[in-house]
């Protein structure tokens, strides 16, 4: 059986923590920034954990 290749799109969008959680970036931090508050932008800047059902699929794409 050949090795599973890592999905190139998934490796750019997600990262795994040391404890195995799948982290993703939040939407809304790329454009139309003038009207967004500093508080909003600080919260958007942080990564968040992916939902458990989705994380299982993403781990498969990442080859973990």
């Amino acid at each position: 059986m050949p090795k599973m290749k890592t999905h190139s799109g998934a490796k750019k969008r997600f990262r795994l923590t040391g404890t195995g959680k799948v982290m993703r970036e939040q939407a809304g931090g790329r454009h139309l920034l003038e009207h967004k508050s500093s508080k909003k932008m600080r919260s958007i800047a942080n990564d968040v954990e992916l939902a458990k059902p989705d994380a299982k699929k993403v781990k498969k794409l990442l080859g973990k």
Side-chain angles (χ1 to χ4, degrees):
M1 193 77 186
K3 289 184 179 179
M4 275 188 63
K5 289 196 174 180
T6 303
H7 190 283
S8 58
K11 73 181 175 189
K12 295 170 194 171
R13 290 177 172 88
F14 306 106
R15 65 180 180 83
L16 283 173
T17 63
T19 55
K21 293 179 190 172
V22 181
M23 303 300 283
R24 65 165 176 86
E25 287 194 6
Q26 296 189 71
R30 297 282 185 252
H31 67 134
L32 303 175
L33 304 177
E34 285 183 350
H35 76 277
K36 292 174 185 163
S37 68
S38 301
K39 183 178 179 180
K40 180 79 169 168
M41 290 309 300
R42 283 195 304 273
S43 71
I44 287 175
N46 299 325
D47 290 354
V48 291
E49 188 180 350
L50 197 63
K52 297 284 183 199
D54 298 328
K56 190 174 181 182
K57 294 173 193 168
V58 170
K59 279 185 182 178
K60 200 171 192 179
L61 293 174
L62 294 173
K64 303 290 177 195

